[in-house]
Amino acid sequence: MGLGSASGTIETSSLMKEFLRQVGGAAVVDGGLATELERHGADLNDPLWSAKCLLTSPHLIRQVHLDYLEAGADIIITASYQATIQGFLSKGFSREEGETLLRRSVEIACEARDNYYQRCAECSSRETGDGRILKQRPILVAASVGSYGAYLADGSEYSGDYGDSITLETLKDFHQRRVQVLAESGADLIAFETIPNKLEAQAYAEILEEEEIKIPAWFSFNSKDGVNVVSGDSILNCASIAESCKKVVAVGINCTPPRFIRGLILSIKKVSTKPIIIYPNSGESYDPEQKEWVQNTGVSDEDFVSYVDRWCELGASLVGGCCRTTPNTIKAIYRTLSNRSAAAAAALLP
């Protein structure tokens, strides 16, 4: 039940809008992957980060995907954010092995979706006694592409400062084959996540168009001031790149504190008519030197979810969580969006 199968011959620009119509107007995106993998016992102290589990414990990735589906997620994002061919080469893998691991990230997510549909078929109720949501619905698998800074694993995805030696062509060369492999792996769309600067957004847009990538994509930027992306580039300029690329079907913000989202949605709406995707982090601060999150700097699930109605009223139509959010966060978002859909439906009754 992907974008293509759900919508037949509908042109790329309409695919996301058709999906949103099918799920009631607003879609739930999943939450943090790495935090949940660690909770299940994974050791992610590695430059590959959550991609390490593609090698060591794919069953844990599958379980986390399933946890999010049972929390109500309509879109699950693959464990490929930090999975790059160059990163796997530096670990001693061949190029072919690296490409196989990229494909595996999509296969694992698709397996989780299949397992979920099987559970739905076996259950007569939409919600189980333990709170699991088992509801037949369109579910998308989004293949994650992290930034060049994520590959460097030095925190530069949170600054967007790659230095003067990194050009548009450097970034296109870095990402090109990875995007091609993921696009041909069975995913419904590509999630270009935590984009820290305008240059990388331009590189992605050119790859999508020049390489004739067959599946759509979303662009999601990160901000630390609510006005610009983390590099200091204007969110207006960055969102304009997404707006002008026909293969991009949604644009938004991830891995950004919830308190900044309102202003960023308003800015994106000034330059884009595409669906807006919002999946902030918990609001906690990340220490790139210690490579850990600073405790007690975020917001509670209750506070996080209290923002959701406001974001949707402003125009967000895809909402989830990023770092340090959990299936509990996503379940609360699911309930909030379900209540909004029910209220909207009731308002249409004579």
Side-chain angles (χ1 to χ4, degrees), residues 8-256:
T9 59
I10 293 173
E11 60 181 279
T12 300
S13 62
S14 301
L15 288 175
M16 182 58 79
K17 290 176 182 176
E18 172 62 13
F19 170 71
L20 289 169
R21 186 192 66 76
Q22 292 179 351
V23 297
V28 182
V29 184
D30 67 6
L33 179 64
T35 309
E36 286 302 292
L37 288 171
E38 287 178 324
R39 190 174 67 81
H40 282 288
D43 176 11
L44 305 184
N45 186 18
D46 189 282
L48 292 176
W49 198 41
S50 54
K52 180 185 176 186
C53 289
L54 294 169
L55 300 160
T56 59
S57 42
H59 64 289
L60 294 184
I61 299 174
R62 192 182 303 108
Q63 183 57 54
V64 173
H65 286 323
L66 197 51
D67 289 346
Y68 279 120
L69 291 173
E70 292 183 344
D74 302 306
I75 302 175
I76 50 175
I77 302 172
T78 63
S80 51
Y81 177 81
Q82 208 119 350
T84 63
I85 294 168
Q86 297 87 338
F88 288 130
L89 287 171
S90 71
K91 287 287 187 176
F93 294 94
S94 69
R95 180 169 293 273
E96 292 72 23
E97 288 169 330
E99 292 186 6
T100 296
L101 286 165
L102 283 171
R103 293 186 189 96
R104 188 73 188 114
S105 71
V106 175
E107 289 168 3
I108 292 167
C110 291
E111 289 164 6
R113 176 171 61 184
D114 290 344
N115 290 351
Y116 178 76
Y117 282 146
Q118 183 63 36
R119 292 187 184 185
C120 290
E122 294 167 355
C123 183
S124 58
S125 172
R126 282 190 167 193
E127 195 162 330
T128 64
D130 57 5
R132 289 181 299 142
I133 294 146
L134 298 175
K135 175 185 170 187
Q136 283 282 0
R137 62 190 184 280
I139 292 168
L140 303 184
V141 169
S144 173
V145 172
S147 68
Y148 178 70
Y151 154 71
L152 296 176
D154 62 357
S156 58
E157 79 237 63
Y158 300 113
S159 71
D161 182 7
Y162 296 161
D164 294 337
S165 64
I166 302 302
T167 65
L168 180 68
E169 291 305 315
T170 308
L171 293 173
K172 286 170 67 175
D173 289 344
F174 176 80
H175 288 295
Q176 181 182 40
R177 182 58 188 156
R178 175 197 193 187
V179 172
Q180 289 174 324
V181 170
L182 288 170
E184 295 164 2
S185 296
D188 297 297
L189 73 166
I190 299 173
F192 292 101
E193 304 188 277
T194 325
I195 306 172
N197 56 44
K198 184 172 68 173
L199 188 68
E200 199 146 23
Q202 188 63 44
Y204 292 148
E206 292 187 15
I207 289 171
L208 287 172
E209 291 169 349
E210 291 169 6
E211 302 304 320
E212 298 184 355
I213 300 301
K214 296 291 193 292
I215 61 174
W218 79 54
F219 279 13
S220 183
F221 300 90
N222 60 331
S223 172
K224 55 189 176 186
D225 63 4
V227 178
N228 304 306
V229 299
V230 292
S231 65
D233 292 337
S234 163
I235 186 64
L236 296 171
N237 292 341
C238 291
S240 294
I241 293 171
E243 177 67 12
S244 63
C245 181
K246 291 179 181 176
K247 295 286 176 65
V248 174
V249 294
V251 58
I253 302 292
N254 76 295
C255 211
T256 295

